[in-house]
Amino acid sequence: MKKPFSLIMAACLAVSLLAGCGSNTPAQAPAADSGSNASWQEVSADRKVMTIGDTTFNSENWEETVDPHRTYNGWACIRYGIGETLVHYTDTMELEPWLAKSWENDGNCTWTITLQDNVTFSNGRKMDGNAVKQCLEHLLANHDRAPSDTKITDIKADGQVLTIITSEPNPALMNYLGDPYGCIIDVDASDFDKGIVIGTGPYVVKDMVTDDHLTLTKNENYWNGTPRIDELTIRTLSDGDTLSAALQAGDIDAAYGMAYEAYPNFENDDYQFSSIQTSRAFFASMNMTSPIIQDAAVRKAIAMGINKEGFVKTMLDGHGVPANGAFPNGFSNFGGEKVTTENYDPEGAKEVLEKAGWVDNDGDGIREKDGVKLSIRWLTYPSRQELPLLAESVQATLKEIGMDVDINCTANRREFLADMNSWDIYASALVTAPSGDPQYFFTTSCMPGMSYNFGAYENKEVSAMIEELSTEFDTAKRGELAVRLQQAILDDNAFVFCSFLQMNMISKSNVTGYTAHASDYYQVTADLDIN
């Protein structure tokens, strides 16, 4: 980690970006010789404009567009107020009605969903059963995860009532339909080639340039209140130092993903914080195809050699929560406090490695076995500010037990993930319970062949429990299965859960309605305002 060089580069980027940004300019001021008597203040006085800097709206995070039917692009669709889902999550991650007024299940494979009566898409089309049916069918035909998540085999529409049939009992169906990919859009009016969709939310896409910006205007047909901002720009600022400089300079009005070290710059009356703990976990996935990771002693020593409390206290300045399992402590009935994991124990880790034959024969501080150095290739990415810091912390503590960590922190992580021979551990950030239900994490990350099972983890007993979880309706039994599943993957040391995000969104003091939510979804709502 060459911090001086990175800081210089960040400063240069900030200067160039801020110089050309002009993000608070809603329209060009009249030229001096234009003949217009309107002043700049008069031109802009009747319009409210706002700019939010965001580190995550980029292709690196699989958020290239706002099309919810494409990989993880639905996060941008729902975050920025373009799309809405049938159900909404409270900050305790309970389901509540949103575009759906009510729903019920027959105890087996049939769900009946009654839609709200007064919802229109931003183009004025009524959101009825046929429109939602068309949307869900397009989702199932195009999305990579939705078919296996929802298990929907048939949809019927009758006025404002949908009847959904699943291939097998799916107790988490409504939870999955609250996922960002479940945003209800007008399929006929959306431009899927450009990744721009027509939703029911308070804002409409005006302009979008991937990895640069998204410009939105208010939805004049919004069904649930009056949006207060006339024009809103989401500006991609993936570098934390640049984001901080932009907010201090007044080129943006609010920020998502601010670096912790920059917080003191905003702890005054000119700014405000909105904070909440989330289930976004920062964790390491073991590459189970890597010969060195296949050694159970190495995996165990890694788990024992990572100082989670030290990472949160020192590297995150206390802005986070150390993790035990896949879910935060106190999270419903399957929180991490219900499982046991390896504690930070460097001396114990050394003993584990010694017994397994990993010793430092040449005295260079790094252990060897059968002529192979104990060197771990750690793959991660920079857009989540915690991840480079985690890599730096792990590199230091694992060196203490005789393990070398070679860090590859790259925005191009997809290329390396595709080559299983190029990395040993992948550290990422994932909301493990985005629907308030434990099933999501296990199906996406622990089942063979699934989208987030990057390390090719496979355990037949775990797979069997996931299958059981997927058809269990009883809430208490689902919680028990989730605890058993967490314990099984922790016993395998297939994952090391390091911390959970304490999310902080920062805005100027004249901004209202910019509120952090536990689901990490609803960033832009009709209540967002600037004075």
Side-chain angles (χ1 to χ4, degrees):
M1 294 292 186
K2 298 177 176 60
K3 284 190 173 181
F5 175 77
S6 65
L7 289 174
I8 291 170
M9 291 298 292
C12 293
L13 179 59
V15 170
S16 62
L17 201 152
L18 294 176
C21 185
S23 61
N24 278 339
T25 304
Q28 185 165 341
D33 58 354
S34 67
S36 171
N37 293 321
S39 69
W40 165 239
Q41 288 78 10
E42 290 170 338
V43 169
S44 61
D46 61 343
R47 298 183 71 248
K48 287 190 175 183
V49 297
M50 181 176 174
T51 301
I52 297 174
D54 196 309
T55 60
T56 62
F57 180 50
N58 53 43
S59 53
E60 178 187 342
N61 283 319
W62 287 277
E63 293 179 29
E64 302 95 339
T65 73
V66 297
D67 173 9
H69 298 175
R70 184 186 301 183
T71 63
Y72 289 87
N73 290 196
W75 284 75
C77 185
I78 199 168
R79 266 185 176 162
Y80 308 136
I82 301 159
E84 299 169 321
T85 52
L86 295 175
V87 294
H88 188 277
Y89 300 106
T90 68
D91 282 339
T92 56
M93 295 305 293
E94 301 294 328
L95 294 182
E96 62 182 5
W98 204 3
L99 297 183
K101 185 160 51 177
S102 63
W103 55 89
E104 60 181 4
N105 174 258
D106 69 347
N108 197 4
C109 297
T110 301
W111 291 80
T112 303
I113 302 171
T114 303
L115 304 173
Q116 302 283 3
D117 297 313
N118 61 331
V119 180
T120 60
F121 294 100
S122 59
N123 60 355
R125 177 185 177 183
K126 180 179 175 59
M127 187 203 73
D128 58 13
N130 284 323
V132 176
K133 176 178 184 291
Q134 185 183 20
C135 172
L136 294 178
E137 288 175 342
H138 189 274
L139 169 70
L140 296 171
N142 290 277
H143 198 263
D144 55 346
R145 292 178 290 115
S148 59
D149 287 348
T150 63
K151 300 179 174 61
I152 294 174
T153 57
D154 189 39
I155 306 172
K156 293 182 173 63
D158 182 9
Q160 295 301 106
V161 177
L162 282 179
T163 301
I164 293 179
I165 310 297
T166 58
S167 59
E168 60 187 73
N170 186 5
L173 175 65
M174 295 308 296
N175 297 78
Y176 279 122
L177 291 178
D179 185 283
Y181 65 54
C183 284
I184 303 303
I185 58 174
D186 183 347
V187 171
D188 289 337
S190 296
D191 188 337
F192 295 104
D193 290 334
K194 294 182 178 179
I196 297 175
V197 298
I198 300 299
T200 64
Y203 288 92
V204 182
V205 178
K206 176 183 177 182
D207 177 51
M208 180 180 67
V209 177
T210 299
D211 295 325
D212 187 79
H213 73 275
L214 171 70
T215 305
L216 307 164
T217 58
K218 69 163 63 175
N219 176 5
E220 302 290 352
N221 297 309
Y222 188 52
W223 65 281
N224 196 23
T226 302
R228 293 167 170 81
I229 304 296
D230 292 286
E231 184 166 297
L232 174 66
T233 298
I234 309 299
R235 184 167 293 279
T236 300
L237 299 175
S238 297
D239 178 79
D241 293 322
T242 305
L243 183 68
S244 175
L247 185 56
Q248 291 180 78
D251 288 284
I252 60 176
D253 303 294
Y256 176 91
M258 186 68 68
Y260 299 122
E261 62 189 19
Y263 282 7
N265 296 326
F266 308 104
E267 293 172 345
N268 57 65
D269 292 341
D270 294 331
Y271 304 95
Q272 56 194 332
F273 286 70
S274 178
S275 304
I276 197 166
Q277 183 181 336
T278 75
S279 67
R280 182 176 292 279
F282 300 97
F283 70 107
S285 300
M286 303 291 178
N287 181 352
M288 303 303 282
T289 71
S290 164
I292 203 165
I293 294 298
Q294 287 174 350
D295 188 330
V298 171
R299 298 199 305 273
K300 184 179 180 69
I302 290 170
M304 297 172 72
I306 295 178
N307 186 354
K308 302 173 185 178
E309 288 77 11
F311 164 63
V312 169
K313 181 178 180 180
T314 304
M315 306 300 285
L316 304 187
D317 198 24
H319 296 288
V321 180
N324 288 327
F327 310 104
N329 291 350
F331 198 97
S332 190
N333 61 343
F334 48 87
E337 76 277 8
K338 298 180 183 295
V339 299
T340 58
T341 187
E342 302 294 347
N343 294 318
Y344 179 53
D345 182 5
E347 295 305 315
K350 292 176 184 178
E351 292 179 11
V352 168
L353 292 172
E354 290 280 348
K355 290 180 180 178
W358 292 97
V359 295
D360 180 14
N361 289 313
D362 58 11
D364 67 349
I366 304 302
R367 298 173 183 273
E368 313 96 33
K369 182 179 180 179
D370 299 329
V372 177
K373 284 285 187 181
L374 187 48
S375 180
I376 303 297
R377 296 163 299 173
W378 184 279
L379 175 64
T380 193
Y381 52 96
S383 63
R384 282 284 171 186
Q385 58 163 321
E386 295 84 354
L387 293 172
L389 297 175
L390 176 61
E392 185 179 348
S393 175
V394 167
Q395 186 180 54
T397 58
L398 292 188
K399 186 176 181 180
E400 295 176 6
I401 65 173
M403 194 176 298
D404 177 57
V405 176
D406 179 21
I407 299 171
N408 180 9
C409 183
T410 174
N412 192 29
R413 69 187 190 275
R414 295 191 201 186
E415 177 182 334
F416 290 94
L417 282 170
D419 180 4
M420 297 293 282
N421 295 315
S422 70
W423 59 278
D424 301 303
I425 296 177
Y426 173 55
S428 62
L430 176 71
V431 177
T432 54
S435 61
D437 184 87
Q439 186 174 325
Y440 172 86
F441 172 75
F442 297 115
T443 55
T444 59
S445 303
C446 304
M447 286 287 279
M450 294 305 288
S451 57
Y452 268 14
N453 188 356
F454 298 111
Y457 174 68
E458 184 172 3
N459 179 318
K460 291 183 179 179
E461 292 182 2
V462 167
S463 296
M465 282 192 283
I466 294 173
E467 294 290 349
E468 184 180 354
L469 176 66
S470 69
T471 58
E472 178 57 67
F473 280 87
D474 184 89
T475 302
K477 290 181 180 178
R478 289 180 70 79
E480 292 171 5
L481 279 167
V483 172
R484 287 168 53 198
L485 278 163
Q486 286 177 89
Q487 195 60 63
I489 64 176
L490 290 170
D491 290 344
D492 284 341
N493 290 306
F495 304 88
V496 181
F497 299 94
C498 300
S499 72
F500 290 100
L501 172 69
Q502 178 182 310
M503 184 168 62
N504 290 276
M505 290 161 47
I506 307 174
S507 60
K508 292 179 181 178
S509 59
N510 62 334
V511 172
T512 57
Y514 190 62
T515 306
H517 294 282
S519 63
D520 202 5
Y521 293 160
Y522 318 117
Q523 187 182 125
V524 173
T525 69
D527 294 330
L528 181 66
D529 200 1
I530 188 168
N531 298 311

